[in-house]
Amino acid sequence: MHPVPAPYLQETVAWAQQTFAVSLPPGNISYEQLEEMLGRRLEYLISNDFQQFIFLLYRIDVAEKKVKLILEAAAATGSDPYRPIAALIIERQLQKIASREAFRQDHLPDDEERW
């Protein structure tokens, strides 16, 4: 895992709490803590509400192919697929935040250059 800017990570934590209805401890949450908590929530969804899990993946825009590869590898090895899927979801959300930041037009010098 590469370093994540703290504001991006905390925005992702807030997003995860809202999107996945997870309760996280107050204060700064590490990437690993977020991945673990989200993994547990995914385990619940996959076991108890698979349609909601699929809906969330589409809404978040996680690559279906990557999820399938994780699930296939987990089935073949008997490993836990939840944290790797959680990592995919977190990475996708971080990409969205970085993209929004990169394309923000607030950094332009004056209104003339804005569309």
Side-chain angles (χ1 to χ4, degrees):
M1 168 64 216
H2 57 286
V4 176
Y8 289 12
L9 182 59
Q10 294 315 309
E11 184 176 334
T12 301
V13 167
W15 169 84
Q17 286 178 301
Q18 181 180 3
T19 303
F20 289 92
V22 292
S23 179
L24 299 170
N28 289 337
I29 304 296
S30 71
Y31 181 96
E32 291 76 20
Q33 288 172 310
L34 177 59
E35 186 180 275
E36 180 182 335
M37 297 283 209
L38 192 52
R40 281 188 262 165
R41 180 66 176 148
L42 292 174
E43 181 177 12
Y44 172 83
L45 287 173
I46 290 170
S47 299
N48 298 300
D49 195 351
F50 194 73
Q51 285 185 324
Q52 180 67 16
F53 168 71
I54 296 298
F55 170 76
L56 287 169
L57 288 180
Y58 281 110
R59 191 171 129 212
I60 297 163
D61 192 28
V62 173
E64 182 180 348
K65 185 176 183 176
K66 290 180 180 182
V67 174
K68 283 183 179 182
L69 288 173
I70 290 171
L71 291 172
E72 288 171 4
T77 62
S79 62
D80 175 350
Y82 311 115
R83 282 188 75 159
I85 294 172
L88 274 181
I89 290 170
I90 294 166
E91 287 302 317
R92 181 65 184 120
Q93 186 60 22
L94 290 169
Q95 288 170 354
K96 289 178 185 179
I97 294 168
S99 179
R100 264 195 320 265
E101 187 65 29
F103 291 103
R104 249 167 115 192
Q105 293 191 0
D106 293 351
H107 303 302
L108 296 177
D110 60 35
D111 286 340
E112 268 185 43
E113 294 185 43
R114 295 182 188 194
W115 286 77

